[in-house]
Amino acid sequence: MPILPMPENDIVRALASKGYMIEPGALELLKSRGELIDRLVAAMDPAAFIVTAGDVGRVLPSPGAAPASTPALARPGRTPGVRVVRDITNNSTCIGDYDEFVGFFRHRYAALGEMIRGRTGARPIESVRKGGRRSTGEKNEIAIIGMVGEVRPTSGGHRIAELEDQTGAIGVLFAKDGDLADTPLLLDEVIGVTGVPSNDGGLFLPSAVAYPDVPFTNVPRRAEEPAVAALISDTHIGSNTFIEDGWLRFVDWVNGDLPGVQEDLAGRIRYVVIAGDLVDGIGIYPGQEKELSITDVYEQYAKAAGYLRMLPRHLRIIVAPGNHDAVRQAEPQPALSEDVQALFKQDNITFVGNPSMVELEGVRVLIYHGRSLDDLVSSLPGATYARPEALMLELLKRRHLSPIYGGRVLIAPEAKDHFVIDPLPDIVHSGHVHTVGVSKYRGVLLANSGTWQGQTEFQKRMNIQPDPCRIPLVDLSSGEVKIIKFGE
């Protein structure tokens, strides 16, 4: 009896119900062999997030049915040796209805709440409704976990944060003279609060706040070989402030044509990771056309492809989009479209979405362009664009890349909240703010890679000083970072 083809949407839904996304090449192989889904899921690595063509090939009955080099791996978009762990590309489920928003926030609460449960000590965890209605004579501390729905000042100078879960909401009082007075709170973040209810049960009085955070016991993964990854973002090719001379110096260096400048490091570069805004785009802000040297977005990408072809062909290049790129503005963003990818006529580029996670020599790299850093600068006291690594640290502690909903970031309500930081990365690479910053937190390297664009008119008005042509170079075997400047 012939096997009937299985509709693509049914395959995507079946794998999504098991927690997996699927790349286009794998979907093509499965269309005529839908009966293999159960066998495929059973054979998958539990730590994997995306089903690849290679995964499908391993469960096909005939070895000849899954050639070692499938079309999905041969064309631009997939690079051998780069494993995609998480990516929204070709797996978006969003249509924008009410139920999707509900599911999006429920997934966020469940995923982050589970992380917090292990950080509240031996105290019992109760729902917001039950915890707020305990007997007024019972003063043993409990913990509640909720999403911050509102933060408002009182007439006495205190703060009340509305904490919500699926059972209800309760106000948490942060006294102006208490130990938690300066606790930073972001709207829509998920936190755990230890304390007791007030005598009338109308408020919750906290003694400690717990974030999802990174475990103290975290041990970062390391590559076996001393391969180096160059972290780049915000090249803004097509802008009349793109610093071409700096890029050409980088090209000369990585090709071995700048003797005496960290030659050993240049010889060990194996990866170039670009975290968005490869081109300047068209119509991104009013009056942008006055600051463009290339006014057609496809010509911008063609120029960008030429610059990338200057790099040695043995390098593996990963390209994610940003808010200036030609993809949807709502995040998570898919990879650049196939017609744009076709301009990059080389097989050493992997195109991924924003955010996404890739694995390089066993080291997990979380790539996020960084638009939410704008929200943090306007929401956290003392936050500044001059120290992007400090902003990234706040996101990592919250295990979420864009906690504030309705701010500068347009967020599509997918079936899952793709901004939750899980699994834990070894490196977080961002851009967007055009300043360089590097730090480490509990084994995780945080790196913002600046820009290749000079100061724009908008930045002059906002008093933002960019930090161009500086590349953080990460040794994947040791985690050590060196920053080399290729500008003047």
Side-chain angles (χ1 to χ4, degrees), residues 49-62:
F49 189 72
I50 291 184
V51 176
T52 69
D55 295 325
V56 178
R58 283 190 290 273
V59 299
L60 286 171
S62 170

Side-chain angles (χ1 to χ4, degrees), residues 282-310:
I282 303 293
I284 306 300
Y285 56 88
Q288 183 190 17
E289 65 278 359
K290 300 176 183 177
E291 299 183 353
L292 293 175
S293 61
I294 303 174
T295 57
D296 180 276
V297 72
Y298 285 95
E299 292 180 13
Q300 290 180 6
Y301 280 112
K303 187 70 171 179
Y307 284 128
L308 294 185
R309 280 194 292 273
M310 295 177 180

Side-chain angles (χ1 to χ4, degrees), residues 18-192:
K18 304 293 186 181
Y20 294 104
M21 294 181 176
I22 183 169
E23 66 172 23
L27 184 60
E28 186 67 27
L29 291 172
L30 268 183
K31 280 196 303 185
S32 60
R33 301 305 305 263
E35 81 282 0
L36 294 176
I37 288 178
D38 289 341
R39 186 190 304 177
L40 172 66
V41 170
M44 287 292 293
D45 178 352
F49 189 72
I50 291 184
V51 176
T52 69
D55 295 325
V56 178
R58 283 190 290 273
V59 299
L60 286 171
S62 170
S69 178
T70 65
L73 290 170
R75 63 177 172 78
R78 309 297 308 164
T79 302
V82 176
R83 178 173 177 260
V84 179
V85 180
R86 297 190 65 173
D87 186 5
I88 188 65
T89 305
N90 296 319
N91 292 285
S92 176
T93 60
C94 175
I95 59 175
D97 63 20
Y98 173 79
D99 289 340
E100 286 182 323
F101 284 93
V102 174
F104 174 84
F105 283 108
R106 282 181 175 171
H107 176 263
R108 175 187 296 193
Y109 175 81
L112 298 178
E114 188 62 30
M115 298 178 194
I116 293 172
R117 287 179 184 277
R119 305 185 55 81
T120 56
R123 296 174 181 83
I125 299 174
E126 297 187 2
S127 68
V128 164
R129 176 178 294 177
K130 185 177 179 181
R133 293 181 178 178
R134 300 175 85 219
S135 167
T136 56
E138 189 178 351
K139 288 300 182 180
N140 292 329
E141 285 195 335
I142 61 168
I144 57 176
I145 298 173
M147 186 176 295
V148 179
E150 179 187 13
V151 181
R152 63 181 185 274
T154 71
S155 58
H158 311 296
R159 287 185 303 162
I160 294 179
E162 290 290 334
L163 208 61
E164 305 174 8
D165 68 5
Q166 293 179 345
T167 69
I170 191 170
V172 180
L173 177 65
F174 290 85
K176 65 178 180 181
D177 53 356
D179 293 339
L180 302 178
D182 297 326
T183 300
L185 296 170
L186 297 176
L187 296 180
D188 307 317
E189 70 171 325
V190 179
I191 60 174

Side-chain angles (χ1 to χ4, degrees), residues 171-371:
V172 180
L173 177 65
F174 290 85
K176 65 178 180 181
D177 53 356
D179 293 339
L180 302 178
D182 297 326
T183 300
L185 296 170
L186 297 176
L187 296 180
D188 307 317
E189 70 171 325
V190 179
I191 60 174
V193 180
T194 298
V196 296
S198 61
N199 287 335
D200 62 2
L203 292 171
F204 194 81
L205 309 178
S207 61
V209 173
Y211 295 97
D213 221 323
V214 178
F216 286 104
T217 55
N218 178 54
V219 178
R221 298 164 188 79
R222 295 286 184 248
E224 294 183 2
E225 301 294 330
V228 171
L231 306 183
I232 292 174
S233 66
D234 298 270
T235 47
H236 288 275
I237 294 164
S239 167
N240 60 20
T241 55
F242 168 64
I243 305 174
E244 184 181 49
D245 288 347
W247 179 265
L248 295 179
R249 277 191 286 273
F250 167 60
V251 169
D252 287 342
W253 179 72
V254 80
N255 278 291
D257 296 330
L258 281 182
V261 181
Q262 299 282 342
E263 293 178 70
D264 174 64
L265 197 62
R268 291 191 288 119
I269 292 180
R270 293 293 178 269
Y271 304 94
V272 175
V273 186
I274 303 176
D277 285 3
L278 179 63
V279 301
D280 204 49
I282 303 293
I284 306 300
Y285 56 88
Q288 183 190 17
E289 65 278 359
K290 300 176 183 177
E291 299 183 353
L292 293 175
S293 61
I294 303 174
T295 57
D296 180 276
V297 72
Y298 285 95
E299 292 180 13
Q300 290 180 6
Y301 280 112
K303 187 70 171 179
Y307 284 128
L308 294 185
R309 280 194 292 273
M310 295 177 180
L311 299 173
R313 292 301 292 270
H314 72 269
L315 296 185
R316 295 168 181 175
I317 303 171
I318 298 94
V319 177
N323 58 297
H324 278 251
D325 283 297
V327 293
R328 74 179 188 186
Q329 285 295 293
E331 297 180 5
Q333 296 172 302
L336 298 177
S337 63
E338 291 190 1
D339 56 342
V340 171
Q341 292 184 30
L343 299 172
F344 297 78
K345 297 179 175 61
Q346 55 195 102
D347 58 5
N348 63 333
I349 300 180
T350 294
F351 294 94
V352 295
N354 170 46
S356 59
M357 184 180 289
V358 299
E359 200 170 88
L360 310 177
E361 315 239 348
V363 178
R364 288 177 181 167
V365 182
L366 176 59
I367 308 167
Y368 176 54
H369 178 61
R371 188 74 189 272

